[in-house]
Amino acid sequence: RRVTRREIVPALVRLLADRGLHTDIRSSAYIALAKTMDEVARVAIFEDALARRGYISQLEMESAGFALGLLRREHRAQQFSACVLDRVRALLFRVFLDELRPRRVRGFAALAIGLLGDQPAGDGPGVTARLFRLLEAPHGHPDLGVSLLVAIGLQSRVTVSGGQRRVLRIGMLKGRLPSRAMEPVERAHAAHALGAVGGMEDVPALLRVVGLRGKPAPLINRSAALALGRMAAHLGAEDRALVAARLKIAFHRVRDDSLRGFVLMTLADLALEDLRRGARGVLLDAQAGQMLLVLAARGRWAQRPWAALALARVARAIGSKSSVPALAALRTQALAVLRAGAVSVSYTH
């Protein structure tokens, strides 16, 4: 870190001071500086860039705004203070609300707010509430709604209320917010956000969406399937097994091969979370492991690649030294199926 502070950060600052450099270089420098700096005073560089609307390229404005989200630090000792980050969030909200700015600049500002979702804040629930208020307002283009939904999905779960999760559920299911309609792409991202901040009480709505048919359902129900996998870390062992059992039923009811593939990936996500926590309900009690074995070996041509990929993820997570005989046997069977599939001519037909 001493080398970074003494040599790399000053070099990046010098690059940004050189207005003659190509915009691609300057844009990259904003991102690199945000990831490496630890001096609060350097935040002014980004504030200055975003204030010079019309005097720097759109790409530089996009990078400067997005880079502020990269002030995120994983280790608590390296994180910026709530006071500093609240100042950054306030700037990003102002950028998003500025309708004279290009849509992409505003969208990247919202994404940056999202990236700071797990960082210190003076009022975390207040940040989340403001994102929801902005989501409910008309913006004229779904990209801005999508950027807000991504930001919501990156906030700490404890800052999202039951009422706010209900807004996401209704938006996903009915395509409506309290004050406006939602585009299909927004409904899909509402599902994805719900997977990140929701819990078992949101599972029935997501499972219902997985089974939707007709346009524009494919975009939405595939996202709902993936959202259930994203939710795996927030569920208990029994709940994960229950979700897996319900997904197995949904798999045989839906007709979209891509959706079926996403369901198989979600079964793998649930199984991997089980294995990380020393549980085995998804693979053994809900028999998701047996389902993946059968589909990878004898499923329809559109199902077998998905099942093989899901099975490989599971086998790798089980490892070669499992102390659970049933899991060790499942891994042995999985490797045999995968090896047979790798040399099978019929696998491509």
Side-chain angles (χ1 to χ4, degrees):
R1 291 188 61 82
R2 285 195 299 270
V3 173
T4 299
R5 180 182 293 180
R6 186 176 64 249
E7 299 181 14
I8 296 176
V9 169
L12 292 169
V13 173
R14 288 194 298 272
L15 285 175
L16 290 171
D18 186 349
R19 302 290 178 83
L21 287 176
H22 192 281
T23 186
D24 287 352
I25 298 175
R26 291 171 54 81
S27 298
S28 301
Y30 282 115
I31 292 173
L33 180 61
K35 289 176 69 68
T36 55
M37 70 182 226
D38 55 14
E39 303 96 330
V40 173
R42 306 285 191 194
V43 174
I45 295 174
F46 302 89
E47 293 174 329
D48 179 63
L50 290 169
R52 287 184 284 130
R53 185 177 62 200
Y55 294 92
I56 63 174
S57 70
Q58 178 177 329
L59 180 60
E60 289 179 57
M61 281 195 290
E62 293 171 8
S63 296
F66 180 71
L68 287 172
L70 300 179
L71 295 178
R72 178 187 182 275
R73 301 291 184 265
E74 182 175 355
H75 301 293
R76 181 169 296 182
Q78 298 174 0
Q79 291 175 347
F80 291 91
S81 70
C83 180
V84 171
L85 294 178
D86 283 344
R87 189 178 96 197
V88 169
R89 292 184 182 98
L91 170 62
L92 291 168
F93 274 119
R94 288 197 300 272
V95 171
F96 182 86
L97 287 167
D98 187 350
E99 296 182 358
L100 296 179
R101 291 182 185 268
R103 184 174 68 246
R104 285 173 54 91
V105 173
R106 299 171 65 196
F108 276 115
L111 294 178
I113 296 170
L115 289 171
L116 297 175
D118 64 349
Q119 300 296 286
D123 181 12
V127 174
T128 300
R130 189 171 186 184
L131 288 170
F132 271 93
R133 288 196 298 271
L134 290 174
L135 176 65
E136 294 173 13
H139 297 295
H141 198 284
D143 284 357
L144 295 175
V146 166
S147 66
L148 290 167
L149 286 161
V150 172
I152 288 170
L154 291 170
Q155 300 306 297
S156 173
R157 291 180 70 242
V158 299
T159 69
V160 184
S161 69
Q164 289 165 340
R165 291 199 303 274
R166 184 173 182 273
V167 169
L168 293 176
R169 288 197 302 270
I170 293 175
M172 173 187 67
L173 285 165
K174 300 182 179 180
R176 288 212 57 84
L177 292 168
S179 59
R180 70 177 181 90
M182 297 179 75
E183 296 291 333
V185 67
E186 293 179 287
R187 295 174 63 186
H189 279 82
H192 200 57
L194 196 58
V197 302
M200 192 62 190
E201 62 274 18
D202 303 302
V203 166
L206 287 166
L207 285 169
R208 178 181 172 188
V209 173
V210 170
L212 289 177
R213 294 182 181 179
K215 295 180 180 181
L219 176 66
I220 304 166
N221 55 23
R222 294 170 192 171
S223 291
L226 292 175
L228 288 165
R230 193 179 187 188
M231 191 182 285
H234 312 319
L235 302 177
E238 292 184 1
D239 289 337
R240 285 193 298 273
L242 177 61
V243 172
R246 295 287 301 275
L247 281 172
K248 285 176 58 183
I249 296 172
F251 177 88
H252 293 293
R253 288 181 176 175
V254 301
R255 299 176 182 176
D256 178 9
D257 283 325
S258 292
L259 175 56
R260 286 179 169 178
F262 289 134
V263 168
L264 295 178
M265 288 298 103
T266 294
L267 285 174
D269 289 336
L270 293 165
L272 264 59
E273 187 61 33
D274 250 17
L275 293 170
R276 276 192 287 268
R277 300 194 183 193
R280 63 198 76 166
V282 172
L283 289 173
L284 302 183
D285 297 340
Q287 298 186 335
Q290 185 62 31
M291 177 182 181
L292 294 177
L293 282 171
V294 171
L295 291 174
R298 300 189 298 275
R300 292 176 57 247
W301 68 270
Q303 300 167 2
R304 293 170 72 185
W306 291 95
L309 179 57
L311 191 61
R313 294 176 64 203
V314 168
R316 181 180 180 182
I318 293 173
S320 60
K321 299 179 181 180
S322 176
S323 60
V324 181
L327 292 179
L330 174 61
R331 181 178 184 273
T332 299
Q333 292 175 285
L335 293 177
V337 168
L338 294 171
R339 288 180 181 128
V343 299
S344 173
V345 176
S346 65
Y347 211 90
T348 59
H349 297 284

